[in-house]
Amino acid sequence: MSSANLLPPSAPPDIYPSLPETMNAKNFRLTEISRIEKEISAEVKHYRLVLKKYKKARKALHYSLVGLGAFTAV
């Protein structure tokens, strides 16, 4: 299989960087995958904490509005 069949001619260079011959291409891609996985995990953790805070605020707002509505009805 030739390398012409592997990459489309319009592939952006930042997705498929040209690697120096001395660098191990497989190791480069594995380190990039590992770095990206760590970034995604950090973002997921951050957004879970943000969601938790918003759920607490929404619950407090809901109960205060229900209480005020009941107080107004009385």
Coordinates of all heavy atoms in Angstrom, one line a residue:
M1 N 0.8 -1.2 0.0 CA 0.0 0.0 0.0 C 0.9 1.2 0.0 O 1.8 1.4 0.8 CB -0.9 0.0 1.3 CG -2.1 0.7 1.2 SD -3.1 0.3 2.6 CE -4.6 1.0 2.1
S2 N 0.6 2.1 -0.9 CA 1.5 3.3 -0.9 C 0.9 4.4 0.0 O -0.2 4.4 0.4 CB 1.5 3.9 -2.4 OG 0.2 4.4 -2.7
S3 N 1.8 5.4 0.3 CA 1.4 6.4 1.3 C 0.4 7.4 0.6 O -0.3 8.1 1.3 CB 2.6 7.2 1.7 OG 3.2 7.8 0.6
A4 N 0.3 7.4 -0.7 CA -0.7 8.2 -1.4 C -2.1 7.8 -1.1 O -3.0 8.6 -1.1 CB -0.4 8.2 -2.9
N5 N -2.3 6.5 -0.8 CA -3.6 6.0 -0.5 C -4.0 6.3 1.0 O -5.2 6.2 1.3 CB -3.7 4.5 -0.7 CG -3.6 4.2 -2.2 OD1 -3.8 5.0 -3.0 ND2 -3.1 2.9 -2.5
L6 N -3.1 6.6 1.8 CA -3.4 6.8 3.2 C -4.0 8.1 3.6 O -4.9 8.3 4.4 CB -2.2 6.5 4.1 CG -1.6 5.1 4.0 CD1 -0.4 5.0 4.9 CD2 -2.7 4.1 4.5
L7 N -3.4 9.2 3.0 CA -3.8 10.5 3.3 C -4.5 11.2 2.1 O -4.0 11.1 1.0 CB -2.6 11.4 3.7 CG -1.8 10.9 4.9 CD1 -0.6 11.8 5.0 CD2 -2.6 10.9 6.1
P8 N -5.6 11.9 2.4 CA -6.3 12.6 1.3 C -5.4 13.8 0.9 O -4.7 14.3 1.7 CB -7.6 13.1 1.8 CG -7.5 12.9 3.3 CD -6.4 11.9 3.6
P9 N -5.4 14.2 -0.4 CA -4.6 15.3 -0.9 C -4.9 16.6 -0.2 O -4.1 17.5 -0.1 CB -4.8 15.3 -2.4 CG -6.1 14.6 -2.6 CD -6.2 13.6 -1.5
S10 N -6.1 16.8 0.3 CA -6.5 18.0 0.9 C -6.4 18.0 2.5 O -6.9 18.9 3.1 CB -7.9 18.4 0.5 OG -8.8 17.4 1.0
A11 N -5.7 17.1 3.0 CA -5.6 17.0 4.5 C -4.8 18.1 5.0 O -3.7 18.5 4.5 CB -4.9 15.7 4.9
P12 N -5.3 18.8 6.0 CA -4.6 19.9 6.6 C -3.3 19.5 7.3 O -3.2 18.4 7.8 CB -5.5 20.5 7.7 CG -6.8 19.8 7.6 CD -6.6 18.6 6.6
P13 N -2.2 20.3 7.2 CA -0.9 19.8 7.7 C -0.9 19.7 9.3 O -0.1 19.0 9.8 CB 0.0 20.9 7.3 CG -0.8 22.1 7.0 CD -2.2 21.6 6.6
D14 N -1.8 20.4 10.0 CA -1.8 20.3 11.4 C -2.4 19.0 11.9 O -2.1 18.6 13.1 CB -2.5 21.5 12.1 CG -3.9 21.7 11.6 OD1 -4.2 21.1 10.5 OD2 -4.7 22.3 12.3
I15 N -3.2 18.3 11.1 CA -3.8 17.0 11.5 C -2.8 15.9 11.3 O -2.6 15.0 12.1 CB -5.1 16.8 10.8 CG1 -6.2 17.7 11.2 CG2 -5.5 15.3 11.0 CD1 -7.5 17.6 10.5
Y16 N -2.1 16.0 10.2 CA -1.1 15.0 9.8 C 0.3 15.7 9.7 O 0.7 16.0 8.6 CB -1.4 14.3 8.5 CG -2.8 13.6 8.5 CD1 -3.9 14.2 7.8 CD2 -2.9 12.4 9.2 CE1 -5.1 13.5 7.9 CE2 -4.2 11.8 9.2 CZ -5.2 12.3 8.6 OH -6.4 11.7 8.6
P17 N 0.9 16.0 10.8 CA 2.2 16.7 10.7 C 3.3 15.8 10.1 O 3.3 14.6 10.2 CB 2.5 17.1 12.1 CG 1.8 16.0 12.9 CD 0.6 15.7 12.2
S18 N 4.2 16.5 9.4 CA 5.3 15.7 8.8 C 6.3 15.6 10.0 O 6.7 16.5 10.6 CB 5.9 16.4 7.7 OG 6.4 17.7 8.1
L19 N 6.7 14.3 10.3 CA 7.6 14.0 11.4 C 9.0 13.8 10.9 O 9.2 13.3 9.8 CB 7.1 12.8 12.1 CG 5.7 12.8 12.7 CD1 5.3 11.5 13.2 CD2 5.6 13.8 13.8
P20 N 10.0 14.3 11.6 CA 11.4 14.0 11.2 C 11.6 12.5 11.2 O 11.0 11.8 12.0 CB 12.2 14.7 12.3 CG 11.3 15.6 13.1 CD 9.9 15.1 12.8
E21 N 12.6 12.1 10.4 CA 12.9 10.7 10.3 C 13.4 10.1 11.6 O 13.3 8.9 11.9 CB 13.9 10.4 9.2 CG 13.3 10.8 7.8 CD 12.1 9.9 7.5 OE1 12.1 8.7 7.8 OE2 11.2 10.4 6.8
T22 N 14.1 11.0 12.5 CA 14.7 10.5 13.7 C 13.6 10.2 14.8 O 13.8 9.5 15.7 CB 15.7 11.5 14.2 OG1 15.1 12.7 14.4 CG2 16.9 11.6 13.3
M23 N 12.5 10.9 14.7 CA 11.4 10.8 15.7 C 10.5 9.6 15.4 O 10.2 9.3 14.3 CB 10.6 12.1 15.7 CG 9.5 12.1 16.8 SD 8.6 13.6 16.6 CE 8.9 14.2 18.2
N24 N 10.2 8.9 16.4 CA 9.3 7.7 16.2 C 7.9 8.2 16.1 O 7.3 8.8 17.0 CB 9.4 6.8 17.5 CG 8.6 5.5 17.3 OD1 8.0 5.3 16.3 ND2 8.7 4.7 18.3
A25 N 7.3 8.0 14.9 CA 6.0 8.6 14.6 C 4.9 7.9 15.5 O 4.0 8.6 15.9 CB 5.6 8.3 13.1
K26 N 5.0 6.7 15.7 CA 4.0 6.0 16.6 C 4.1 6.6 18.0 O 3.0 6.8 18.6 CB 4.3 4.5 16.6 CG 3.2 3.7 17.3 CD 3.5 2.2 17.1 CE 2.4 1.4 17.8 NZ 2.7 0.0 17.6
N27 N 5.2 6.8 18.5 CA 5.4 7.4 19.9 C 4.8 8.8 19.9 O 4.1 9.2 20.9 CB 6.8 7.4 20.3 CG 7.0 7.8 21.7 OD1 6.1 7.6 22.6 ND2 8.1 8.4 22.0
F28 N 5.0 9.6 18.9 CA 4.5 10.9 18.8 C 3.0 10.9 18.9 O 2.4 11.7 19.6 CB 5.0 11.6 17.5 CG 4.3 12.9 17.3 CD1 4.7 14.0 18.0 CD2 3.3 13.0 16.4 CE1 4.1 15.3 17.8 CE2 2.6 14.3 16.1 CZ 3.1 15.4 16.8
R29 N 2.4 10.1 18.1 CA 0.9 10.0 18.1 C 0.4 9.5 19.4 O -0.7 10.0 19.8 CB 0.5 9.2 16.9 CG 0.6 9.9 15.6 CD 0.2 9.1 14.4 NE 0.2 9.9 13.2 CZ 1.3 10.1 12.4 NH1 2.4 9.5 12.8 NH2 1.3 10.8 11.3
L30 N 1.0 8.6 20.0 CA 0.6 8.1 21.3 C 0.7 9.2 22.4 O -0.2 9.3 23.2 CB 1.4 6.8 21.7 CG 1.1 5.6 21.0 CD1 2.0 4.5 21.4 CD2 -0.3 5.1 21.2
T31 N 1.7 10.0 22.3 CA 1.8 11.0 23.3 C 0.8 12.1 23.1 O 0.2 12.7 24.0 CB 3.2 11.7 23.3 OG1 3.5 12.1 22.0 CG2 4.3 10.7 23.8
E32 N 0.5 12.4 21.8 CA -0.6 13.4 21.5 C -1.9 12.8 21.9 O -2.7 13.6 22.5 CB -0.6 13.6 20.0 CG 0.5 14.5 19.5 CD 0.4 15.9 20.1 OE1 -0.7 16.6 19.9 OE2 1.3 16.4 20.7
I33 N -2.2 11.6 21.7 CA -3.5 11.0 22.2 C -3.6 11.1 23.7 O -4.6 11.4 24.2 CB -3.6 9.5 21.7 CG1 -3.8 9.5 20.2 CG2 -4.7 8.8 22.4 CD1 -3.7 8.1 19.5
S34 N -2.5 10.8 24.4 CA -2.5 10.9 25.8 C -2.7 12.3 26.3 O -3.5 12.5 27.3 CB -1.1 10.3 26.4 OG -1.1 10.5 27.7
R35 N -2.1 13.2 25.7 CA -2.3 14.6 26.1 C -3.7 15.1 25.9 O -4.3 15.7 26.7 CB -1.3 15.5 25.2 CG -1.4 17.0 25.6 CD -0.6 17.9 24.7 NE -1.0 17.8 23.3 CZ -2.0 18.5 22.8 NH1 -2.7 19.3 23.6 NH2 -2.4 18.4 21.5
I36 N -4.3 14.7 24.7 CA -5.6 15.1 24.4 C -6.6 14.5 25.4 O -7.6 15.1 25.9 CB -6.0 14.8 23.0 CG1 -5.2 15.7 22.0 CG2 -7.5 14.9 22.7 CD1 -5.2 15.3 20.6
E37 N -6.4 13.2 25.7 CA -7.2 12.5 26.7 C -7.2 13.2 28.0 O -8.2 13.3 28.7 CB -6.8 11.0 26.8 CG -7.6 10.2 27.6 CD -7.2 8.8 27.7 OE1 -6.0 8.5 27.4 OE2 -8.0 7.9 28.1
K38 N -6.0 13.6 28.5 CA -5.9 14.3 29.8 C -6.7 15.6 29.7 O -7.4 16.0 30.7 CB -4.5 14.6 30.1 CG -3.7 13.3 30.5 CD -2.3 13.6 30.8 CE -1.5 12.4 31.1 NZ -0.1 12.6 31.3
E39 N -6.6 16.4 28.6 CA -7.3 17.6 28.5 C -8.8 17.4 28.6 O -9.6 18.1 29.3 CB -7.0 18.3 27.2 CG -5.7 19.0 27.1 CD -5.5 19.7 25.8 OE1 -6.5 20.0 25.0 OE2 -4.3 20.0 25.5
I40 N -9.3 16.4 27.9 CA -10.7 16.1 27.8 C -11.2 15.6 29.2 O -12.3 16.0 29.7 CB -11.1 15.0 26.8 CG1 -10.9 15.6 25.4 CG2 -12.5 14.5 26.9 CD1 -11.0 14.6 24.3
S41 N -10.4 14.8 29.9 CA -10.8 14.4 31.3 C -10.8 15.6 32.2 O -11.7 15.7 33.1 CB -9.7 13.4 31.8 OG -9.8 12.2 31.0
A42 N -9.9 16.5 32.1 CA -9.9 17.7 32.9 C -11.2 18.6 32.6 O -11.8 19.1 33.6 CB -8.7 18.5 32.7
E43 N -11.5 18.7 31.4 CA -12.7 19.5 31.0 C -14.0 18.8 31.6 O -14.9 19.5 32.1 CB -12.8 19.6 29.5 CG -11.9 20.6 28.9 CD -12.1 20.9 27.5 OE1 -13.2 20.6 26.9 OE2 -11.2 21.3 26.8
V44 N -14.1 17.5 31.5 CA -15.2 16.7 32.0 C -15.4 17.0 33.5 O -16.5 17.2 34.0 CB -15.1 15.2 31.6 CG1 -16.1 14.4 32.4 CG2 -15.3 15.0 30.1
K45 N -14.3 16.9 34.2 CA -14.3 17.1 35.6 C -14.7 18.5 36.0 O -15.6 18.7 36.9 CB -12.9 16.8 36.2 CG -12.8 16.9 37.7 CD -11.4 16.5 38.1 CE -11.2 16.5 39.6 NZ -9.9 16.2 40.1
H46 N -14.2 19.5 35.2 CA -14.6 20.9 35.5 C -16.1 21.1 35.2 O -16.8 21.7 36.0 CB -13.8 21.8 34.5 CG -14.3 23.2 34.5 ND1 -14.2 24.1 35.5 CD2 -15.0 23.9 33.5 CE1 -14.7 25.2 35.2 NE2 -15.2 25.1 34.0
Y47 N -16.6 20.6 34.1 CA -18.0 20.8 33.8 C -19.0 20.0 34.7 O -20.1 20.4 34.9 CB -18.3 20.5 32.3 CG -17.8 21.6 31.4 CD1 -16.8 21.4 30.5 CD2 -18.3 22.9 31.5 CE1 -16.3 22.4 29.7 CE2 -17.9 23.9 30.7 CZ -16.9 23.6 29.8 OH -16.4 24.6 29.0
R48 N -18.5 18.9 35.3 CA -19.3 18.2 36.3 C -19.5 19.0 37.5 O -20.5 19.1 38.1 CB -18.7 16.8 36.6 CG -19.0 15.8 35.6 CD -18.6 14.4 36.0 NE -18.9 13.5 34.9 CZ -18.2 12.4 34.7 NH1 -17.2 12.0 35.5 NH2 -18.6 11.6 33.7
L49 N -18.4 19.7 37.9 CA -18.4 20.6 39.1 C -19.3 21.8 38.8 O -20.1 22.2 39.7 CB -17.0 21.0 39.5 CG -16.1 20.0 40.1 CD1 -14.7 20.5 40.3 CD2 -16.7 19.5 41.4
V50 N -19.2 22.3 37.6 CA -20.1 23.5 37.3 C -21.6 23.0 37.3 O -22.4 23.8 37.8 CB -19.7 24.1 35.9 CG1 -20.7 25.1 35.4 CG2 -18.3 24.7 36.0
L51 N -21.9 21.9 36.7 CA -23.2 21.4 36.7 C -23.8 21.2 38.1 O -24.9 21.5 38.4 CB -23.3 20.1 35.9 CG -24.6 19.4 35.8 CD1 -25.6 20.3 35.1 CD2 -24.5 18.0 35.2
K52 N -22.9 20.7 39.0 CA -23.3 20.5 40.4 C -23.7 21.8 41.0 O -24.7 21.9 41.7 CB -22.2 19.8 41.1 CG -22.5 19.2 42.5 CD -21.3 18.5 43.0 CE -21.7 17.8 44.3 NZ -20.5 17.1 44.9
K53 N -22.9 22.8 40.8 CA -23.2 24.1 41.4 C -24.5 24.7 40.8 O -25.3 25.3 41.6 CB -22.0 25.1 41.1 CG -20.8 24.8 41.9 CD -19.7 25.8 41.5 CE -18.4 25.4 42.3 NZ -17.3 26.3 41.9
Y54 N -24.7 24.6 39.5 CA -25.9 25.1 38.9 C -27.2 24.3 39.4 O -28.2 24.9 39.6 CB -25.8 25.1 37.4 CG -25.1 26.3 36.9 CD1 -23.8 26.2 36.4 CD2 -25.7 27.6 36.9 CE1 -23.2 27.3 35.9 CE2 -25.1 28.7 36.4 CZ -23.8 28.6 35.9 OH -23.1 29.7 35.4
K55 N -27.0 23.0 39.6 CA -28.2 22.3 40.1 C -28.5 22.7 41.5 O -29.7 22.9 41.8 CB -27.8 20.8 40.2 CG -28.0 20.1 38.8 CD -27.7 18.6 39.0 CE -27.9 17.9 37.7 NZ -27.7 16.4 37.8
K56 N -27.5 23.0 42.4 CA -27.8 23.5 43.7 C -28.5 24.9 43.6 O -29.5 25.1 44.4 CB -26.5 23.6 44.5 CG -26.0 22.3 45.0 CD -24.7 22.5 45.8 CE -24.1 21.2 46.2 NZ -22.9 21.4 47.0
A57 N -28.0 25.8 42.8 CA -28.6 27.1 42.7 C -30.0 27.0 42.1 O -30.9 27.7 42.6 CB -27.7 28.0 41.8
R58 N -30.2 26.1 41.2 CA -31.6 26.0 40.6 C -32.5 25.4 41.6 O -33.7 25.9 41.7 CB -31.5 25.1 39.4 CG -32.8 24.9 38.6 CD -32.6 24.1 37.3 NE -33.9 24.0 36.7 CZ -34.4 22.8 36.3 NH1 -33.7 21.7 36.5 NH2 -35.5 22.8 35.7
K59 N -32.1 24.5 42.4 CA -32.9 23.9 43.4 C -33.3 24.9 44.4 O -34.5 25.0 44.9 CB -32.2 22.7 44.1 CG -33.1 21.9 45.0 CD -32.4 20.8 45.8 CE -32.0 19.7 44.9 NZ -31.4 18.6 45.6
A60 N -32.3 25.7 44.9 CA -32.6 26.8 45.9 C -33.6 27.8 45.3 O -34.5 28.2 46.0 CB -31.3 27.5 46.3
L61 N -33.4 28.2 44.1 CA -34.3 29.2 43.4 C -35.7 28.6 43.3 O -36.7 29.3 43.6 CB -33.8 29.6 42.1 CG -34.6 30.6 41.3 CD1 -34.6 31.9 42.0 CD2 -34.1 30.7 39.9
H62 N -35.8 27.3 42.9 CA -37.1 26.7 42.8 C -37.9 26.7 44.1 O -39.0 27.0 44.2 CB -36.9 25.3 42.3 CG -38.2 24.5 42.2 ND1 -39.2 24.7 41.3 CD2 -38.6 23.5 43.0 CE1 -40.2 23.9 41.6 NE2 -39.9 23.1 42.6
Y63 N -37.2 26.2 45.2 CA -37.8 26.2 46.5 C -38.2 27.5 47.0 O -39.2 27.7 47.7 CB -36.9 25.4 47.5 CG -36.9 23.9 47.3 CD1 -35.7 23.2 47.3 CD2 -38.1 23.2 47.1 CE1 -35.7 21.9 47.0 CE2 -38.1 21.9 46.9 CZ -36.9 21.2 46.9 OH -36.9 19.8 46.6
S64 N -37.4 28.5 46.8 CA -37.7 29.9 47.2 C -38.9 30.4 46.4 O -39.8 31.1 47.0 CB -36.5 30.8 47.1 OG -36.2 31.0 45.7
L65 N -39.0 30.1 45.1 CA -40.2 30.6 44.4 C -41.4 29.8 44.8 O -42.5 30.4 44.9 CB -39.9 30.3 42.9 CG -38.9 31.3 42.2 CD1 -38.7 30.9 40.8 CD2 -39.4 32.7 42.3
V66 N -41.3 28.6 45.1 CA -42.5 27.8 45.6 C -42.9 28.4 46.9 O -44.1 28.6 47.2 CB -42.2 26.3 45.7 CG1 -43.2 25.5 46.4 CG2 -42.0 25.7 44.3
G67 N -42.0 28.6 47.8 CA -42.3 29.2 49.1 C -43.0 30.6 49.0 O -44.0 30.9 49.7
L68 N -42.4 31.4 48.1 CA -43.0 32.8 47.9 C -44.4 32.7 47.3 O -45.3 33.4 47.6 CB -42.1 33.6 47.1 CG -40.8 34.1 47.7 CD1 -40.0 34.8 46.7 CD2 -41.2 35.1 48.8
G69 N -44.6 31.7 46.4 CA -45.9 31.5 45.8 C -46.9 31.0 46.8 O -48.1 31.5 46.8
A70 N -46.5 30.1 47.7 CA -47.4 29.7 48.7 C -47.7 30.8 49.7 O -48.9 31.0 50.1 CB -46.8 28.5 49.5
F71 N -46.7 31.6 50.0 CA -46.9 32.7 50.9 C -47.9 33.8 50.3 O -48.7 34.3 51.0 CB -45.6 33.4 51.3 CG -45.7 34.6 52.2 CD1 -46.0 34.4 53.5 CD2 -45.5 35.9 51.7 CE1 -46.1 35.5 54.4 CE2 -45.6 36.9 52.5 CZ -45.9 36.8 53.9
T72 N -47.7 34.0 49.0 CA -48.6 34.9 48.4 C -50.0 34.4 48.3 O -51.0 35.2 48.5 CB -48.1 35.2 46.9 OG1 -46.7 35.7 47.0 CG2 -48.9 36.2 46.2
A73 N -50.2 33.1 48.1 CA -51.5 32.5 48.0 C -52.2 32.6 49.4 O -53.4 32.8 49.5 CB -51.4 31.1 47.6
V74 N -51.4 32.5 50.5 CA -52.0 32.6 51.8 C -52.4 34.0 52.1 O -53.4 34.4 52.5 CB -51.0 32.0 52.9 CG1 -51.5 32.3 54.3 CG2 -50.8 30.5 52.7

